[in-house]
Amino acid sequence: MSDQTPVCRRLVGRTAVITGAGSGIGLATARRLASEGAHVVVADIDESTGKAAAEEVGGLFVKVDVTDQEQVEAVFRTAHDTYGAVDIAFNNAGISPPEDDSILTTGLDAWKRVQEVNLTSVYLCCKAALPYMRAQGRGSIINTASFVAVMGAATSQISYTASKGGVLSMSRELGVQFAREGIRVNALCPGPVNTPLLKELFAKDPERAARRLVHVPVGRFAEPEEIAAAVAFLASDDSSFVNAAEFLVDGGIAGAYVTPM
Ligand SMILES: NC(=O)c1ccc[n+]([C@@H]2O[C@H](COP(=O)([O-])OP(=O)(O)OC[C@H]3O[C@@H](n4cnc5c(N)ncnc54)[C@H](O)[C@@H]3O)[C@@H](O)[C@H]2O)c1
């Protein structure tokens, strides 16, 4: 960080649970929220990356499979028991496996697995976080959806897209239901981000990446830190009137018809 970089300390004393914090957007967000003063609970299925992330940010690692209700409940219980609160839940873990493709070729097993990890997990995390937030009378839940929740693609990943649509609708409904209890729930909709998840998908097929890049007005994919900055805003009181939102951080993709040459 250069001397000129303003230091934001909006989350001092707040406790944040981040699922999928061992990699990509989750890892960048763990770093950002910790730098703003939050206690960070790193929840991930991958023990080695999760532990490394927790160590780096001075937080706590809890191993979790986000599709397992008891394990998810244990994450939020541990956060509360350790730090005395659950102020921020960034429900972010997700997968995008190659078996999930066109509806014509995607089998039921692949469909169900993606629904479990991307959508059922968000239901379980919100269900586990809300009792703590209701008791506190405050909280910010940020659920990672995607820009594909609001736009169609001919390059389909049918279950992924449907799962993110579900995350978007669920977040909106929860944001409305719990608004008068001091709890905000927003759906974060990132555009394509340079993370292992995306790199893995495009490494085998550069044409696939190029076909997508042409639709991004800013002409590049996002860096994870740019998404983390949006999460920090949604987590903090700076976004106190942002609720039940479809929070696009997509470099203008969803607003574009013709992009610059
Ligand atoms: N990368 C993109 O372009 C992009 C765009 C829009 C939305 N998203 C969404 O952002 C979120 C994070 O994606 P990313 O790109 O950082 O991915 P990533 O693969 O870099 O990180 C995902 C993390 O989730 C963890 N995880 C996977 N399955 C899990 C499970 N069952 N239980 C617990 N942890 C599990 C992984 O171990 C990993 O650490 C996902 O929900 C993804 O769909 C990504």
Side-chain angles (χ1 to χ4, degrees):
M1 199 182 283
S2 80
D3 291 346
Q4 278 76 42
T5 310
V7 180
C8 266
R9 297 284 291 170
R10 295 174 293 187
L11 304 174
V12 174
R14 304 278 169 93
T15 300
V17 173
I18 305 176
T19 68
S23 174
I25 295 169
L27 176 58
T29 303
R31 290 173 175 146
R32 175 68 191 242
L33 300 195
S35 82
E36 294 218 20
H39 303 294
V40 174
V41 176
V42 168
D44 205 293
I45 200 167
D46 186 322
E47 213 162 329
S48 64
T49 58
K51 274 186 180 160
E55 199 168 310
E56 184 190 328
V57 305
L60 184 72
F61 172 66
V62 184
K63 185 177 159 78
V64 67
D65 178 346
V66 288
T67 67
D68 183 303
Q69 185 163 20
E70 280 180 18
Q71 291 183 32
V72 168
E73 285 168 357
V75 169
F76 288 93
R77 194 167 52 243
T78 305
H80 187 263
D81 290 353
T82 309
Y83 297 116
V86 178
D87 301 299
I88 299 152
F90 181 35
N91 303 319
N92 163 76
I95 55 170
S96 174
E99 315 79 85
D100 178 25
D101 202 271
S102 159
I103 194 168
L104 301 175
T105 53
T106 302
L108 191 56
D109 285 352
W111 166 271
K112 282 185 176 166
R113 179 75 194 139
V114 172
Q115 293 298 315
E116 286 277 300
V117 179
N118 290 7
L119 179 57
T120 307
S121 68
V122 175
Y123 152 77
L124 291 175
C125 288
C126 291
K127 198 172 168 65
L130 278 164
Y132 297 107
M133 294 180 171
R134 295 184 74 202
Q136 294 163 191
R138 76 163 191 209
S140 173
I141 297 178
I142 302 126
N143 296 324
T144 305
S146 167
F147 73 108
V148 302
V150 301
M151 300 184 77
T155 49
S156 183
Q157 292 175 274
I158 192 62
S159 187
Y160 183 91
T161 298
S163 74
K164 295 304 186 181
V167 170
L168 180 60
S169 308
M170 178 167 37
S171 305
R172 184 188 299 126
E173 188 137 303
L174 295 177
V176 171
Q177 185 179 352
F178 295 102
R180 295 194 187 183
E181 297 189 46
I183 300 166
R184 297 181 294 111
V185 186
N186 290 293
L188 177 79
C189 297
V193 188
N194 268 323
T195 66
L197 183 142
L198 191 86
K199 284 177 190 159
E200 192 190 327
L201 195 69
F202 293 156
K204 294 178 209 125
D205 192 350
E207 259 187 64
R208 199 170 170 158
R211 188 164 175 199
R212 285 159 174 79
L213 260 178
V214 75
H215 295 288
V216 189
V218 300
R220 62 174 177 86
F221 295 145
E223 293 305 321
E225 293 72 23
E226 295 177 289
I227 308 301
V231 181
F233 167 70
L234 290 173
S236 78
D237 295 342
D238 277 353
S239 60
S240 52
F241 210 61
V242 182
N243 181 38
E246 178 183 297
F247 202 86
L248 280 159
V249 187
D250 70 345
I253 298 173
Y257 171 35
V258 179
T259 56
M261 297 279 276

